[in-house]
Amino acid sequence: MTAFARTDHSIFGRWWWTVDRWTLAVLAVLMGIGIVLVQAASPAVAERIGLDNFHFVQRHILTLIPACLVMVGVSLMTPRGVRRTAVISFIFFTILLALTLVVGFEIKGARRWIHVPGLSIQPSEFVKPTFAVVAAWLFAHGRTSERFPGAVISIMLYLMVVGLLMMQPDLGMTFVISIVWFGQFFLAGLPIILVAILGVLGITGLVGAYMLFPHVSSRIDRFLDPAAGDNYQVTRSLEAFQNGGAFGTGPGQGSIKMMLPDAHADFIFAVAGEEMGLFWCLVLIALFAFIVIRGFMRVMRDDNLFIMLAVTGLLTQFGLQAWINMASSLHMMPTKGMTLPFISYGGSSLVALGFGMGMVLALTRKRFGGGDGT
Amino acid sequence: MSDMRASPHERMTHQGQTPRQDHAYPDHPAAPSPEARFAEPRAKGRAAHALEQARGRLMVTVAVFALAFAAVGVKLVDATVMSQGGDTGLAQAASAHAIPASRADIIDRNGVLLASSLATASLHADPKLVINPVEATQKLVSVLTDLDYQDTLSKLRSDKRFVWLRRNLSPREHYEVNRLGIPGLYFQREERRVYPNANLTAHVVGFTGIDNNGLMGIEQSFDSRLRSSSEPVQLSLDVRLQHLVKRELQASVDEFQGLGGAGMIMDVKTGEILAMVSLPDFDPHAPTNDENARFNRNTLGVYEMGSTFKIFNSALALDSGKIRMGDSFDATKSIRVGRFSISDSHGKNRWLTVPEIFKYSSNIGSVRMALEVGTPAQRALMERFGLLKRSPVELPEVGTPMVPHPWRDVSTMTIAFGHGLSVSPVQMTSAVSAAINGGVLHPATLLKRAPGTEIPGQRVISPQTSDQIRRLMRLVVTEGTGSSAAAPGYLVGGKTGTAEKVSGRGGYAKKALLSSFVAAFPINDPRYLVMVMIDEPKGNKRTFGYATAGWVAAPLAGRVIKQVGPLLGINPIDENRPDIRNATEIHLAPRGSTLASY
């Protein structure tokens, strides 16, 4: 482990001794499990759509490299650097987000992607973590400075982002960003009465989405009434868990995964269930819970409100996404197009994830004297 | 915002997992935040309050996340190990490979297979799991060439979760389809009952239904035994005899344009049925709904057998001790009973001895003999011969005899010549066997009796009476109505029976006859009994229009005996040998002359 001596005061030396090495290790383990599972799940999918068997695995590993570089690179920053990077990126990607409506191309009825020469990216994936940091700063600054209307600016930014997302439309992203933002607002001292009102507004929003968007109502109908329509993936997913049982069929031995169209992405947890079985899946859940709760406990001791809010926001995002993915694989909620962080094949979203977790690592580094707080 | 910092002491305890490390970077700049310059003293209080509130609420968030992850864990336990009762696609596929216990074979007395089970695979599909119906159909049609392309394609495109594609694939087809590796296709292991002899033993062996349950014959009566044991059921039948009986019976039915026919061969010493043929028959692989073909005339049909009953009437008379062979009876004129009149078809209009009554099949003489012995004795004898209750033969299709109730004297009179009591041919065969085998009734059976086992039997008449019956039956073939049943060397003895069938209007139909013949051979020590019956034969040119037993059934019995005799290992003997003649001819004691002199 001791790649760096304690007296090594280089940038990496200091980083190594101050970064949360436990979280770093667990993230590395998750990425390793992800490679194994994508390898297990994707050949069937690749073959079905006429690609090379190893297409997805190769792309997955190829995108993990920049994701790791971004994560480590961002984690080297000071909290102030993180804040500044976040603000600049937020502005940049929000502009891109707005551009998707104009120059984006449509996939499955939604304009979410934008082509930059050489790659295609989904700006909302980057808006998500950067907005969490920006909102944290606004809330924290608003709480400490009387003259700074942090909450008001935050609300306006939130409405703008959500407005852009709904125009794509991207309801899943809207849902996650809303929960994260609401959680931060809650931590930042939102009066309980407003918590209740916003809660009601949120539910109204969900009901409204159900009424307004046919694909949402269809998904929820199917969840509530399995006989109403095609529940193919969820049914197969549950069969996969059942087939796996306590100990699993063993890596590569699963067979129901072959019938899961999204086995490599949204339903990778079912592949894990079939091949690794109950105990390793519990370990997987525990790893995600570990990252989230350990992060929370770390910032709870922090005396910097910005750091507390930003890390909470970023980890809520990470944990919520993992939870939604696992819960929909297990038919605890309607299926939501959401990947399992660092496990699913996810293309460019992996880089955004690395960016977000890099900020978490940077903000939870031990700081002495706390001078560079913000 | 740096003004929110806690005191250095607090910070140490908050952050320092290893407080010692705090001093590892003495030069670490604790740079004051630029904003700190604008910090006002009361802001410190606000910040501390905000931080405390945030910490409290963060605890709530932690709790929510912990609960949410725990809930996923619980649901995961439920989905993986608690829901094993459910039916996954894999479980179905696995169960299809479980091999069901095979239904046992049925074999004849020599081990020839009469019924067996073939394991086959039936192909079905779950169209929802078939990824590319067009490709799957193309592949399937290339292997199962009799599949219809459009039909299969529409099945695979349907919204159903289960469609049959082909039942009962051969092992080769099964292998070929498996080799295609099309997802969503499954095999159902099935069993198909095969009857190598098809129609030949259809009425005895029976058949099974779609789920392999016995629906007729031995398949039905031994259903649970066939299901539970792999040991074959061995029948008493001999397919060679079965075939010969069927061939000759069919020839006669065709020749006389009968509705059908029945034929049996019984081992008179064991009660085993060696052949049992009912015509018309059917293919047990595709059982017909034709009642006439499904009907087992040997066991299910009950008929007034007619003159063959005179065997029992003679046994009654001779066994009673009241009547001896030489006694004569007045057969000069017909007997009137109410509005009926009993007469003879080959009337001699004189007094007749017991052998003459039998030889000429005199109804009048028979009635007089029966009346002399009496109703209770006749009834008791019929009871002993097993003619008043269902045959014990091991088939579900056994008819109940129609017994007169009450049994009046007029019943006694008609039963004397075989009317008024309807029995099945198998009852008849057993009873005649008992009458000639020395007087012991063995229950009729379709199962092979293991050698050395005790054969159940009940004495019904004395051996002396039985010996006299044999001589009477020999007389019928040598001099009487059954002469065309003669099979030189096999010492055939028999009795004709021509019964008028009961017509739908309640009387007897003169033209609807049941011509039968029971024959035993060799009559000096009978081993086998042949019973043949033609239902409603029509006379033809060769028979001068006659459809009576002497013209129809007796020659048939003769043909059968000539062919089965060698198979049964009976050596032809010189019928004129003195000892043989002595054992088979009738010598009337007082006058010391043979009946042949009449």
Side-chain angles (χ1 to χ4, degrees):
Chain A
M1 277 292 274
T2 48
F4 304 100
R6 294 221 167 199
T7 49
D8 185 343
H9 291 170
S10 69
I11 291 178
F12 274 104
R14 254 183 279 156
W15 173 80
W16 178 252
W17 291 113
T18 54
V19 79
D20 181 6
R21 290 187 298 278
W22 275 103
T23 301
L24 199 62
V26 170
L27 285 171
V29 168
L30 284 182
M31 290 181 202
I33 295 175
I35 292 172
V36 172
L37 288 178
V38 168
Q39 167 68 80
S42 66
V45 182
E47 197 169 315
R48 194 154 50 228
I49 58 180
L51 294 171
D52 177 65
N53 271 356
F54 291 95
H55 171 86
F56 288 111
V57 193
Q58 285 164 355
R59 301 252 329 233
H60 185 68
I61 294 172
L62 280 179
T63 40
L64 269 178
I65 293 167
C68 283
L69 289 177
V70 166
M71 187 170 82
V72 172
V74 170
S75 72
L76 288 169
M77 293 181 187
T78 60
R80 185 188 307 193
V82 167
R83 194 192 75 204
R84 286 181 179 160
T85 310
V87 170
I88 292 164
S89 310
F90 173 70
I91 293 166
F92 175 70
F93 284 108
T94 306
I95 291 167
L96 281 189
L97 184 64
L99 276 177
T100 55
L101 300 173
V102 188
V103 299
F105 58 96
E106 194 168 313
I107 294 178
K108 296 178 188 168
R111 286 172 181 272
R112 296 175 188 173
W113 294 80
I114 197 158
H115 276 306
V116 180
L119 73 161
S120 54
I121 55 167
Q122 196 177 349
S124 55
E125 288 282 358
F126 290 89
V127 168
K128 189 166 59 171
T130 52
F131 179 62
V133 175
V134 169
W137 175 64
L138 290 170
F139 284 132
H141 197 48
R143 275 311 291 272
T144 47
S145 161
E146 270 182 295
R147 283 160 302 196
F148 185 71
V152 176
I153 299 173
S154 172
I155 290 172
M156 282 160 53
L157 285 181
Y158 168 73
L159 291 177
M160 180 188 75
V161 168
V162 164
L164 286 173
L165 286 173
M166 296 294 268
M167 283 157 80
Q168 288 190 333
D170 190 343
L171 229 68
M173 194 69 77
T174 308
F175 180 72
V176 171
I177 285 182
S178 299
I179 293 278
V180 169
W181 179 78
F182 177 74
Q184 288 177 311
F185 208 166
F186 171 67
L187 252 61
L190 183 65
I192 291 297
I193 178 73
L194 285 176
V195 172
I197 289 172
L198 280 180
V200 169
L201 276 178
I203 291 165
T204 315
L206 279 180
V207 174
Y210 176 76
M211 312 283 240
L212 271 170
F213 299 98
H215 75 280
V216 177
S217 51
S218 135
R219 275 195 188 177
I220 291 173
D221 282 346
R222 273 182 271 150
F223 173 72
L224 296 176
D225 176 15
D230 184 19
N231 250 331
Y232 180 77
Q233 294 228 53
V234 172
T235 313
R236 287 293 91 74
S237 171
L238 286 177
E239 281 174 7
F241 283 108
Q242 189 180 332
N243 190 41
F247 304 105
T249 58
Q253 300 297 305
S255 40
I256 289 175
K257 68 175 187 191
M258 309 284 185
M259 311 176 203
L260 269 170
D262 275 346
H264 63 311
D266 295 1
F267 282 91
I268 200 152
F269 192 52
V271 178
E274 187 176 21
E275 303 202 337
M276 312 202 304
L278 167 66
F279 293 112
W280 284 105
C281 279
L282 286 177
V283 168
L284 198 56
I285 296 174
L287 290 178
F288 281 108
F290 175 85
I291 290 177
V292 173
I293 292 174
R294 179 182 169 84
F296 284 170
M297 300 314 273
R298 264 179 97 89
V299 294
M300 200 176 287
R301 292 187 295 243
D302 209 299
D303 45 16
N304 186 323
L305 189 60
F306 160 68
I307 287 180
M308 193 189 279
L309 292 180
V311 169
T312 306
L314 290 166
L315 286 176
T316 300
Q317 215 169 73
F318 177 80
L320 185 67
Q321 190 174 334
W323 187 85
I324 288 176
N325 177 281
M326 296 190 284
S328 36
S329 293
L330 286 164
H331 203 219
M332 293 169 77
M333 59 177 294
T335 49
K336 196 78 233 54
M338 214 159 285
T339 54
L340 194 55
F342 291 118
I343 303 276
S344 295
Y345 171 81
S348 72
S349 76
L350 271 178
V351 178
L353 267 170
F355 186 41
M357 290 315 284
M359 292 196 284
V360 169
L361 288 171
L363 294 174
T364 55
R365 279 171 70 184
K366 287 187 209 109
R367 298 181 311 284
F368 305 106
D372 53 356
T374 43
Chain B
M1 293 233 287
S2 59
D3 45 5
M4 289 189 294
R5 257 181 288 145
S7 74
H9 174 73
E10 272 178 54
R11 192 163 46 76
M12 249 174 72
T13 46
H14 281 155
Q15 283 196 329
Q17 289 160 314
T18 48
R20 192 180 52 80
Q21 290 180 10
D22 273 18
H23 308 287
Y25 306 101
D27 57 343
H28 189 80
S33 162
E35 287 95 332
R37 276 172 283 157
F38 307 106
E40 295 167 41
R42 60 190 167 95
K44 259 197 154 72
R46 279 167 48 114
H49 169 70
L51 213 51
E52 276 317 303
Q53 191 180 35
R55 281 187 184 126
R57 292 190 173 186
L58 185 54
M59 274 314 291
V60 175
T61 314
V62 169
V64 168
F65 261 102
L67 274 177
F69 279 116
V72 170
V74 168
K75 173 71 187 181
L76 184 67
V77 171
D78 178 60
T80 50
V81 294
M82 307 296 278
S83 61
Q84 293 302 314
D87 220 6
T88 69
L90 283 185
Q92 285 167 359
S95 68
H97 289 289
I99 299 162
S102 184
R103 192 177 172 88
D105 292 345
I106 300 174
I107 55 176
D108 89 337
R109 66 183 302 109
N110 302 314
V112 176
L113 209 53
L114 301 180
S116 189
S117 289
L118 274 188
T120 62
S122 286
L123 180 64
H124 60 93
D126 180 347
K128 290 223 165 187
L129 303 190
V130 176
I131 294 157
N132 187 342
V134 175
E135 187 192 346
T137 308
Q138 283 167 350
K139 283 180 174 175
L140 276 175
V141 170
S142 72
V143 171
L144 304 172
T145 44
D146 57 335
L147 276 188
D148 181 63
Y149 180 84
Q150 283 305 329
D151 181 53
T152 306
L153 185 61
S154 65
K155 276 180 182 170
L156 291 183
R157 276 181 171 160
S158 70
D159 285 334
K160 294 180 192 156
R161 301 302 304 270
F162 185 98
V163 288
W164 280 118
L165 294 177
R166 243 297 287 286
R167 299 298 283 265
N168 293 322
L169 272 67
S170 71
R172 173 154 204 98
E173 290 168 328
H174 184 188
Y175 168 79
E176 294 283 351
V177 173
N178 245 338
R179 231 167 62 101
L180 297 177
I182 304 169
L185 298 191
Y186 302 97
F187 293 101
Q188 176 71 48
R189 182 86 181 226
E190 287 198 307
E191 222 185 67
R192 197 175 169 201
R193 204 65 170 155
V194 180
Y195 304 95
N197 285 289
N199 297 35
L200 186 58
T201 54
H203 288 101
V204 175
V205 171
F207 56 86
T208 58
I210 190 92
D211 36 3
N212 256 346
N213 51 330
L215 294 182
M216 186 184 162
I218 294 291
E219 290 274 33
Q220 185 181 351
S221 47
F222 286 87
D223 194 38
S224 53
R225 155 92 166 69
L226 288 164
R227 282 172 187 278
S228 57
S229 166
S230 57
E231 198 59 19
V233 170
Q234 187 162 32
L235 301 188
S236 57
L237 293 186
D238 182 328
V239 285
R240 300 170 304 171
L241 306 185
Q242 185 82 3
H243 173 70
L244 288 171
V245 171
K246 180 183 168 178
R247 188 174 70 189
E248 296 307 327
L249 188 65
Q250 187 70 62
S252 291
V253 168
D254 293 346
E255 182 182 358
F256 299 105
Q257 301 162 43
L259 289 182
M264 267 181 285
I265 299 178
M266 181 178 272
D267 184 328
V268 300
K269 296 189 172 176
T270 63
E272 288 170 285
I273 296 164
L274 305 183
M276 180 184 270
V277 177
S278 179
L279 291 176
D281 56 20
F282 63 95
D283 183 356
H285 299 110
T288 165
N289 286 323
D290 178 3
E291 285 299 321
N292 190 36
R294 292 261 288 259
F295 191 78
N296 189 342
R297 290 162 202 274
N298 290 295
T299 56
L300 190 53
V302 290
Y303 310 96
E304 295 178 310
M305 297 304 295
S307 302
T308 45
F309 252 60
K310 287 168 187 158
I311 295 170
F312 310 126
N313 199 54
S314 303
L316 169 71
L318 298 169
D319 209 51
S320 69
K322 292 178 182 168
I323 297 167
R324 286 178 300 164
M325 277 286 214
D327 293 346
S328 296
F329 295 88
D330 178 11
T332 47
K333 57 181 187 292
S334 56
I335 301 172
R336 292 203 69 83
V337 184
R339 56 193 178 93
F340 297 104
S341 129
I342 297 165
S343 56
D344 287 350
S345 54
H346 318 276
K348 299 290 172 206
N349 302 319
R350 59 175 171 87
W351 285 63
L352 298 172
T353 61
V354 172
E356 285 173 322
I357 289 169
F358 197 79
K359 184 173 81 171
Y360 301 126
S361 204
S362 163
N363 294 342
I364 302 166
S366 295
V367 170
R368 298 223 185 273
M369 283 161 70
L371 287 175
E372 184 151 337
V373 181
T375 300
Q378 187 195 42
R379 195 195 159 122
L381 181 113
M382 296 295 168
E383 179 94 61
R384 289 207 300 281
F385 270 113
L387 293 168
L388 305 188
K389 60 182 196 304
R390 284 157 51 105
S391 167
V393 73
E394 301 91 346
L395 290 178
E397 301 85 13
V398 174
T400 307
M402 294 199 280
V403 180
H405 186 81
W407 195 304
R408 300 181 201 280
D409 285 349
V410 66
S411 308
T412 305
M413 292 163 76
T414 57
I415 288 168
F417 56 91
H419 282 78
L421 172 61
S422 299
V423 299
S424 61
V426 70
Q427 276 178 292
M428 187 71 198
T429 306
S430 287
V432 175
S433 294
I436 58 169
N437 70 0
V440 179
L441 178 72
H442 303 294
T445 181
L446 278 164
L447 297 186
K448 185 182 183 181
R449 294 204 195 276
T453 54
E454 199 187 332
I455 297 154
Q458 261 187 323
R459 177 154 297 283
V460 290
I461 52 171
S462 71
Q464 294 74 27
T465 309
S466 180
D467 177 70
Q468 290 172 313
I469 298 296
R470 292 200 290 269
R471 291 168 192 267
L472 289 173
M473 285 172 69
R474 176 64 183 157
L475 186 65
V476 168
V477 175
T478 51
E479 300 177 11
T481 51
S483 53
S484 56
Y490 290 110
L491 274 180
V492 180
K495 181 71 191 87
T496 52
T498 307
E500 287 156 3
K501 285 174 77 175
V502 179
S503 82
R505 293 190 305 275
Y508 286 94
K510 285 274 177 206
K511 290 286 172 197
L513 302 179
L514 204 64
S515 293
S516 61
F517 195 83
V518 274
F521 68 99
I523 199 68
N524 58 328
D525 179 21
R527 293 282 309 282
Y528 300 103
L529 187 125
V530 174
M531 207 280 327
V532 290
M533 187 181 92
I534 306 287
D535 194 354
E536 293 192 26
K538 321 253 176 326
N540 57 27
K541 240 184 222 166
R542 197 171 66 73
T543 65
F544 310 105
Y546 285 110
T548 54
W551 288 98
V552 173
L556 166 59
R559 293 204 307 274
V560 169
I561 291 168
K562 279 177 205 159
Q563 293 177 71
V564 304
L567 281 177
L568 289 167
I570 306 291
N571 291 324
I573 48 173
D574 178 8
E575 294 184 350
N576 292 317
R577 251 165 56 188
D579 61 317
I580 299 295
R581 289 182 64 135
N582 197 37
T584 56
E585 290 179 351
I586 296 169
H587 305 274
L588 295 180
R591 275 168 274 182
S593 61
T594 70
L595 211 82
S597 60
Y598 283 90

